[in-house]
Amino acid sequence: PSDLLLDPNNPRLQLGWSKNYEDSEIDSADLQDSIYQTIVKGKHRTDKLINSIKRQGFIKGSNDVVVRKLTGSKKYVVLEGNRRTASIRYLLNNKKDLAPHVKESLRAIPVKIFKYQKNSIHSIEDVIDVLFGIIHLEGPEPWGAMESGAYYNRAYERELIRQTKARYFRWDDSIGVPLAERVNKTVPALKKVIGIFRVYAKMKKKK
């Protein structure tokens, strides 16, 4: 578990809404503690998860933790499973009351390693976004409106910069239409969700 880093760019955590964290920043102790506090003390429903693991131990194979290698490090960034990782960290920080079988189950956490095959069509960010989308946009525990908005906005902005080198946000149908088709939304609906998210993110940044 000590080799797993929480992901500040996960839309559900909201930390990456105003900026995109580079790999060189992710292993910061202050940033990792901030993410941990956000998950454990925020509105991420970890109480039941923590109590469940505390009673039963970490049940291997019940839910996959998906990670990717952090550039220039031996550690891994958690792409899927940040709540479980933070819950495990909480229990390890408070392990004096844990039963022996629970401590044993937390010694090593099985993960699936995301491996990106470099190509000229899809960047690693594109592929990770597709992975997030499959799991969270229509999955058993879907993102809320703002988390979905952050996901759509990030995907749109990245493609806007890649194709047009734009320095400022603007709507471009040549980018928005294919994205809308990819995420199974109408163009007006996608444009509206991105617009609402951007207004919300600016308001949040000013606080």
Side-chain angles (χ1 to χ4, degrees):
S2 60
D3 291 332
L4 301 180
L5 298 171
L6 301 168
D7 184 9
N9 294 317
N10 186 305
R12 193 186 293 277
L13 303 182
Q14 303 184 12
L15 296 177
W17 286 9
S18 58
K19 67 166 289 183
N20 186 65
Y21 289 88
E22 303 293 336
D23 275 16
S24 58
E25 302 174 278
I26 291 177
D27 198 10
S28 158
D30 288 343
L31 178 59
Q32 284 297 305
D33 184 63
S34 177
I35 304 169
Y36 169 76
Q37 296 295 337
T38 296
I39 296 175
V40 172
K41 295 183 179 180
K43 299 177 180 179
H44 293 280
R45 294 178 293 172
T46 54
D47 288 351
K48 288 184 178 179
L49 183 55
I50 288 171
N51 289 332
S52 174
I53 297 173
K54 188 175 182 179
R55 288 194 310 271
Q56 306 174 54
F58 185 80
I59 300 174
K60 297 173 175 61
S62 56
N63 286 289
D64 292 327
V65 174
V66 182
V67 303
R68 69 170 177 84
K69 193 81 162 51
L70 184 71
T71 305
S73 172
K74 294 182 179 180
K75 296 184 178 182
Y76 295 84
V77 182
V78 177
L79 299 177
E80 172 61 19
N82 282 278
R83 289 173 64 250
R84 275 162 281 158
T85 303
S87 297
I88 289 167
R89 187 173 297 179
Y90 175 86
L91 290 169
L92 290 174
N93 289 341
N94 300 273
K95 60 184 178 182
K96 64 179 182 178
D97 297 326
L98 297 181
H101 76 280
V102 174
K103 290 181 182 179
E104 181 62 27
S105 76
L106 300 180
R107 286 183 59 190
I109 304 301
V111 300
K112 287 189 174 181
I113 300 175
F114 167 81
K115 292 185 178 180
Y116 168 67
Q117 294 184 340
K118 191 173 183 179
N119 62 84
S120 59
I121 301 175
H122 302 293
S123 69
I124 184 171
E125 292 85 4
D126 291 333
V127 179
I128 289 173
D129 270 355
V130 170
L131 172 66
F132 271 138
I134 291 172
I135 295 172
H136 291 293
L137 290 177
E138 297 182 0
E141 191 175 348
W143 282 327
M146 289 301 102
E147 290 91 344
S148 299
Y151 168 86
Y152 297 138
N153 181 71
R154 185 168 65 188
Y156 178 85
E157 277 194 332
R158 185 168 56 248
E159 200 60 30
L160 179 68
I161 293 170
R162 179 187 301 162
Q163 291 191 28
T164 70
K165 310 299 182 185
R167 296 178 60 188
Y168 303 101
F169 181 89
R170 60 180 173 80
W171 182 261
D172 187 320
D173 276 342
S174 67
I175 296 167
V177 171
L179 177 60
E181 292 176 354
R182 193 178 92 195
V183 299
N184 197 29
K185 294 187 80 68
T186 66
V187 174
L190 177 65
K191 193 173 182 180
K192 181 178 180 180
V193 171
I194 290 177
I196 291 172
F197 164 76
R198 292 183 65 84
V199 171
Y200 179 83
K202 286 180 180 178
M203 292 171 59
K204 188 175 179 67
K205 190 175 181 180
K206 289 179 180 179
K207 288 183 178 179

